Amino acid sequence: MARQLIKAARARDDTSLPGIDSICHNIYRWERGTVGLTERYKLYYCAALDISPGDFGAEQEEQASELPGFPAGELAVLDLMARVMGLWREFRREMAAIRDEAGADGLARIEAGAHGRSS
């Protein structure tokens, strides 16, 4: 998720984000509800998850009735994590399809090219 947030920021010409370790730490704090998300990061989450800002946390009211006793911030993080897991599953399906089409050697060539390495 940290890489996706950095990618979303760079797509908007924002190069002032901290390093990946710092963003991972921030994600941990957001998930635990220690601190809240700023508007800046909400927009990057929306870009990374391909949702509109109006849809960010839109299911909180529905979840609140399903999960009484949870603060709104925790519910927003739960919703966000559910969306992240959906993206992860989609990524895994796409990688499996590539592997099935290109075989293991083709997948290795694709991965090596994505990282700028030669095989």
Side-chain angles (χ1 to χ4, degrees):
M1 190 71 242
R3 286 185 182 95
Q4 292 299 319
L5 291 174
I6 292 170
K7 183 178 175 182
R10 288 183 180 157
R12 285 154 185 77
D13 295 324
D14 182 353
T15 58
S16 65
L17 257 59
I20 195 161
D21 291 337
S22 294
I23 292 179
C24 286
H25 180 70
N26 286 340
I27 291 170
Y28 172 79
R29 294 181 329 151
W30 296 328
E31 289 174 356
R32 293 185 49 87
T34 307
V35 295
L37 282 168
T38 62
E39 283 300 312
R40 173 187 186 198
Y41 283 101
K42 285 180 185 177
L43 292 174
Y44 295 151
Y45 266 109
C46 289
L49 298 172
D50 195 27
I51 60 173
S52 71
D55 289 336
F56 187 84
E59 297 177 16
Q60 287 181 18
E61 292 177 19
E62 293 173 19
Q63 288 181 346
S65 63
E66 296 172 17
L67 301 170
F70 282 88
E74 288 181 17
L75 293 175
V77 170
L78 290 172
D79 179 51
L80 181 63
M81 292 309 298
R83 292 174 191 250
V84 168
M85 290 305 297
L87 286 174
W88 176 247
R89 286 185 191 105
E90 181 181 333
F91 169 77
R92 289 181 60 194
R93 280 193 298 270
E94 289 178 15
M95 291 305 290
I98 291 170
R99 184 181 54 242
D100 291 345
E101 286 180 20
D105 291 338
L107 183 59
R109 284 193 304 274
I110 291 168
E111 289 175 344
H115 297 290
R117 298 184 304 237
S118 59
S119 41

